[in-house]
Amino acid sequence: MTHEEYMAEALELAKRGMGFTAPNPMVGAVIVKDGEIIGRGWHRKYGDLHAERNAFADCEAKGIDCTGADMYVTLEPCCHHGKQPPCTDAVIEHGIKRVFVGSGDPNYMVSGKGIRILRENGIEVTEGVLREKCDKLNEIFFYWITNKRPFVTVKYAMTLDGKIATWSGESKWITGEEARLDVQRERLRHTAIMAGIGTVLADDPMLTCRIEGGRNPIRIICDSNLRIPLDSNIVRTAKEIPTIIATTNRGKGTDIEKGEKRRMLREMGCTIISTKAHNEHVDINTLFRRLADMNIDSVLVEGGGELNESLFHSKHVNKVKAYIAPKIFGGKNAKSPVEGLGVRTPDDAYIIENTEIRTIGNDILIEGTVRYKQYKFRRIVIDLKEGDQDVHGNN
């Protein structure tokens, strides 16, 4: 096997931790000796042994000596004490001769230090093996550890004519079973899932992960006027599945009515996040700061056009996953994925780059990262006559 093939094996192992390691990364490791894989390991869940130590435990369980072996690991070994001791110590103690690394770790406590420590202890290190694939696996972790704000993916299913529902509001189902299963994997990958109150009132969804052995995401409902019904599926199951209701300090109803609704929601297991009203809606910037404080590293958005537009407008969307079905709904009043006011000119569009296109059953998935337009400001200085006020402006 080649170096790339061994790293590919480590990548497949890393994926087994999907949904359980956040806010830590997914990591896989294999140990190779005399051309044979003698140990395998991955980071199984947050707080447990890291991939390297699990791989060594696999060897020890088989009674295999790792001295002189090679290790392939998808992410630079850690070199600091956290919930687990440094993996660099384990690599050195087990006599590993060479280490092949996929991604560097952007965490300032590691970033290059882990590799330097290994080299200082006589271990040969090769960096960047299948780096692009290793980086993509942990795009959420890389963004979170660098920016300390949630990585946001906007997902929607639409027809070829850009409709997410018929004129009557019906939307089940636009895409086929294969595409819907892919969405379940995204619910597992992200720590939280977000929807607007319109989606709750129209569909009464559960917003759970329906993969056997999976984990339900934290549910976040943007509900400016606290209209969510107490008998909705979301509220009824809030004691079993963590649920956040984001609302405003304003809204319809008296203070007594709103206070009573909040009290009842809390009693039923919901967490309430209140923000100042921004254009009569939840202030997205404040909400995401609060989510970051709660250690929520990623959010999958399955909302309607208004919520999607507010997220784009506030520049919180990192990635788009658009599932396109070979169907036509038509209807001038049928909903589209992104509504609101929208951009003024084509030059102001939100650009989707690094796109990937693949077929899922009869449907097409287009996904890519979002690039926001960077405005350049030119300072204007006007020479004034005596008696005029000084004026400085930006355009």
Side-chain angles (χ1 to χ4, degrees), residues 18-20 187-192 209 211 213-218:
M18 182 181 294
F20 299 96
R187 290 183 178 186
L188 176 63
R189 190 166 76 101
H190 290 74
T191 298
C209 176
I211 293 178
R215 169 204 51 82
N216 288 321
I218 298 169

Side-chain angles (χ1 to χ4, degrees), residues 306-318:
E306 292 288 341
L307 176 58
N308 290 345
E309 196 276 338
S310 67
L311 290 166
F312 277 108
H313 183 75
S314 58
K315 298 184 178 180
H316 279 284
V317 182
N318 300 98

Side-chain angles (χ1 to χ4, degrees), residues 220-287:
I220 305 167
I221 307 300
C222 291
D223 183 8
S224 302
N225 293 312
L226 216 59
R227 293 186 292 156
I228 190 166
L230 296 177
D231 61 352
S232 63
N233 283 325
I234 294 290
V235 176
R236 288 192 304 101
T237 57
K239 287 186 177 179
E240 290 77 45
I241 304 168
T243 301
I244 297 170
I245 310 297
T247 188
T248 63
N249 294 327
R250 298 177 57 193
K252 299 177 181 179
T254 66
D255 290 340
I256 294 176
E257 290 171 339
K258 289 184 291 185
E260 180 66 11
K261 184 73 173 285
R262 283 181 167 84
R263 183 190 65 78
M264 295 176 72
L265 287 170
R266 289 191 179 102
E267 285 185 354
M268 297 181 75
C270 298
T271 297
I272 308 294
I273 293 180
S274 295
T275 75
K276 292 181 179 180
H278 179 75
N279 295 330
E280 299 184 355
H281 295 291
V282 171
D283 185 278
I284 294 296
N285 291 323
T286 301
L287 173 59

Side-chain angles (χ1 to χ4, degrees), residues 80-319:
H80 65 287
H81 283 270
K83 290 185 178 295
Q84 294 292 333
C87 288
T88 49
D89 289 357
V91 174
I92 294 165
E93 291 165 2
H94 283 84
I96 294 297
K97 182 179 180 181
R98 298 187 302 177
V99 174
F100 297 85
V101 176
S103 298
D105 192 333
N107 187 340
Y108 75 95
M109 292 186 289
V110 181
S111 191
K113 299 173 187 175
I115 290 171
R116 186 178 71 245
I117 289 171
L118 295 179
R119 285 173 172 159
E120 288 173 349
N121 282 271
I123 297 172
E124 181 183 333
V125 180
T126 300
E127 302 177 63
V129 181
L130 293 187
R131 178 175 179 175
E132 185 175 336
K133 291 183 178 180
C134 291
D135 285 354
K136 184 176 181 181
L137 177 70
N138 280 309
E139 62 182 348
I140 288 174
F141 169 74
F142 288 174
Y143 183 82
W144 166 255
I145 203 69
T146 303
N147 298 279
K148 287 302 179 186
R149 59 187 250 181
F151 183 96
V152 178
T153 301
V154 165
K155 162 266 165 186
Y156 52 83
M158 69 179 188
T159 59
L160 277 177
D161 57 337
K163 308 299 184 182
I164 61 172
T166 65
W167 65 265
S168 64
E170 294 292 328
S171 61
K172 294 183 180 179
W173 295 104
I174 292 176
T175 55
E177 290 185 9
E178 295 93 335
R180 299 201 296 274
L181 176 59
D182 193 66
V183 171
Q184 296 302 314
R185 286 190 284 265
E186 288 299 310
R187 290 183 178 186
L188 176 63
R189 190 166 76 101
H190 290 74
T191 298
I193 185 170
M194 177 180 287
I197 184 60
T199 298
V200 175
L201 294 176
D203 300 333
D204 194 22
M206 285 288 289
L207 300 180
T208 53
C209 176
R210 294 186 288 276
I211 293 178
E212 186 176 353
R215 169 204 51 82
N216 288 321
I218 298 169
R219 302 177 300 193
I220 305 167
I221 307 300
C222 291
D223 183 8
S224 302
N225 293 312
L226 216 59
R227 293 186 292 156
I228 190 166
L230 296 177
D231 61 352
S232 63
N233 283 325
I234 294 290
V235 176
R236 288 192 304 101
T237 57
K239 287 186 177 179
E240 290 77 45
I241 304 168
T243 301
I244 297 170
I245 310 297
T247 188
T248 63
N249 294 327
R250 298 177 57 193
K252 299 177 181 179
T254 66
D255 290 340
I256 294 176
E257 290 171 339
K258 289 184 291 185
E260 180 66 11
K261 184 73 173 285
R262 283 181 167 84
R263 183 190 65 78
M264 295 176 72
L265 287 170
R266 289 191 179 102
E267 285 185 354
M268 297 181 75
C270 298
T271 297
I272 308 294
I273 293 180
S274 295
T275 75
K276 292 181 179 180
H278 179 75
N279 295 330
E280 299 184 355
H281 295 291
V282 171
D283 185 278
I284 294 296
N285 291 323
T286 301
L287 173 59
F288 274 91
R289 284 196 296 270
R290 295 286 299 277
L291 297 179
D293 291 341
M294 298 169 72
N295 234 23
I296 294 176
D297 68 339
S298 56
V299 178
L300 176 66
V301 181
E302 295 191 28
E306 292 288 341
L307 176 58
N308 290 345
E309 196 276 338
S310 67
L311 290 166
F312 277 108
H313 183 75
S314 58
K315 298 184 178 180
H316 279 284
V317 182
N318 300 98
K319 191 171 188 176

Side-chain angles (χ1 to χ4, degrees), residues 368-385:
T369 54
V370 181
R371 174 169 60 85
Y372 295 96
K373 183 179 177 68
Q374 299 295 317
Y375 291 95
K376 294 183 179 179
F377 294 94
R378 179 168 56 89
R379 182 166 182 159
I380 300 175
V381 179
I382 303 175
D383 291 330
L384 304 170
K385 296 179 180 179

Side-chain angles (χ1 to χ4, degrees), residues 6-73:
Y6 286 128
M7 188 62 75
E9 174 72 14
L11 270 168
E12 290 304 310
L13 290 169
K15 293 175 185 176
R16 297 186 185 185
M18 182 181 294
F20 299 96
T21 65
N24 280 352
M26 292 176 278
V27 185
V30 297
I31 302 172
V32 178
K33 192 171 185 179
D34 299 326
E36 298 289 336
I37 296 177
I38 60 174
R40 293 175 170 86
W42 68 94
H43 185 31
R44 296 173 183 268
K45 67 178 182 178
Y46 179 71
D48 278 9
L49 289 177
H50 292 179
E52 296 93 325
R53 290 183 178 273
N54 272 324
F56 288 129
D58 185 33
C59 289
E60 290 166 2
K62 301 172 185 174
I64 299 176
D65 183 6
C66 298
T67 303
D70 295 337
M71 171 171 276
Y72 294 79
V73 60

